[in-house]
C-alpha cells in the first residue's frame, strides 16, 4: 500500500496547525459562542463570572455544517480500503481544514478543547455519513479520532 505524497504533506500541515494553535494564547474574548459574562453588583463592587457554553455548542451556519458532511463523505471509500491506520490521520486533517475554512483558527481551538463538536454537528446534519465514517475508521465516535482534550 502506498501513501500519496499529498496525504503526507497534508498530515504534516495539520499537525503543524494543531501545534501552533495549541501553543497560542490570547486574552479572554467576549465571544458569545464560547462563553458569556454576567456582571452582578455586590456591595458597590462589580464581579464578573464566566459561564461556559454547553459541550458541543458552536455557532455555525447550516452551510458550514453541511460542508463538514460533504467533506467527510468524499474520503469514505478510501478510508474503507486504507483502514483506521491511514484513515484516522485523514480525519484529523479533514476536520482541521474544514474548521479553518468554516470558522478560522478559533474554531480549530474550540474543537481541540471540545472534540464532541464534530459529533454534534454530524449527528444533527448527516447521521448516516457520520455512522459510515465511524465504521470505516473503527471508532466509537468521531471525537475519538481527533487530537484534543
Amino acid at each position: 500500500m502506498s501513501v500519496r505524497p499529498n496525504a503526507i504533506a497534508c498530515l504534516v500541515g495539520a499537525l503543524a496547525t494543531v501545534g501552533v494553535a495549541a501553543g497560542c494564547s490570547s486574552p479572554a474574548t467576549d465571544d458569545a459562542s464560547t462563553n458569556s459574562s454576567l456582571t452582578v453588583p455586590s456591595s458597590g463592587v462589580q464581579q464578573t463570572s464566566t459561564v461556559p457554553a454547553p459541550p458541543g455548542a458552536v455557532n455555525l451556519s447550516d452551510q458550514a455544517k453541511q460542508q463538514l458532511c460533504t467533506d467527510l463523505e468524499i474520503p469514505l471509500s478510501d478510508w474503507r480500503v486504507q483502514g483506521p491506520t491511514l484513515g484516522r490521520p485523514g480525519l484529523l486533517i479533514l476536520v482541521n481544514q474544514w474548521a479553518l475554512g468554516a470558522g478560522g483558527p478559533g474554531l480549530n481551538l474550540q474543537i481541540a478543547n471540545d472534540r464532541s463538536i464534530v459529533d454534534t454537528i454530524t449527528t444533527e446534519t448527516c447521521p448516516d455519513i457520520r455512522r459510515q465514517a465511524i465504521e470505516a475508521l473503527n471508532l466509537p465516535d468521531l471525537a475519538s479520532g481527533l487530537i484534543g482534550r
Side-chain angles (χ1 to χ4, degrees), residues 50-109:
T50 300
V51 179
V58 65
N59 187 15
L60 290 174
S61 69
D62 289 341
Q63 180 181 358
K65 292 175 183 179
Q66 188 57 51
Q67 185 63 50
L68 175 59
C69 294
T70 301
D71 291 351
L72 281 171
E73 187 174 25
I74 293 168
L76 281 176
S77 62
D78 287 341
W79 291 347
R80 287 184 192 102
V81 172
Q82 296 168 347
T85 303
L86 294 176
R88 287 179 183 179
L91 173 65
L92 175 63
I93 293 166
L94 183 147
V95 169
N96 278 316
Q97 289 177 337
W98 167 79
L100 283 173
L107 180 57
N108 258 343
L109 286 174

